[in-house]
């Protein structure tokens, strides 16, 4: 049984009519995939030109811990679908405060 999030050590050898070769170098693989799509940011409030957002964890980390969260902002006023990176957050700090006049707001 393959367990998501577990590391496996693998090696192999080959055989011909004379016999077996030595073993290959060991490969270490992590049974993991990309994380699931995270939920939308949660709006927590607005005060003194500051927008407060919380970034939520995805339902499934793919079997490997989340290392960072990247927050993007729509660069157009007409929802142009063009986005710019405004913050990189850590798993320990997933609150974001956007300030008017900064971050493109």
């Amino acid at each position: 049984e393959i367990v998501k999030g577990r590391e496996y050590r693998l090696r192999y050898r080959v055989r011909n009519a004379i016999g077996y070769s030595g073993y290959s170098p060991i490969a270490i693989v992590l049974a993991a995939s990309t994380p699931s799509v995270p939920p939308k940011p949660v709006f927590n409030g607005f005060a003194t030109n500051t927008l407060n957002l919380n970034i939520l964890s995805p339902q499934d980390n793919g079997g490997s811990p989340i290392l960072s969260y990247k927050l993007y902002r729509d660069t157009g006023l007409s929802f142009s679908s063009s986005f710019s990176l405004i913050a990189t957050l850590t798993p320990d700090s997933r609150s974001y405060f956007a300030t008017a006049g900064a971050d493109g707001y």
Side-chain angles (χ1 to χ4, degrees), residues 41-81:
V42 175
F43 173 70
N44 285 333
F46 177 81
T48 318
N49 294 325
T50 301
L51 182 68
N52 180 352
L53 299 172
N54 271 352
I55 307 303
L56 303 175
S57 295
Q59 187 173 15
D60 182 359
N61 69 6
S64 180
I66 302 296
L67 301 176
S68 67
Y69 296 79
K70 294 199 177 275
L71 181 62
Y72 296 83
R73 176 192 161 278
D74 189 334
T75 58
L77 296 176
S78 61
F79 302 107
S80 65
S81 296

Side-chain angles (χ1 to χ4, degrees), residues 14-21:
V14 296
R15 181 173 75 103
N16 66 14
I18 307 302
Y20 283 97
S21 69

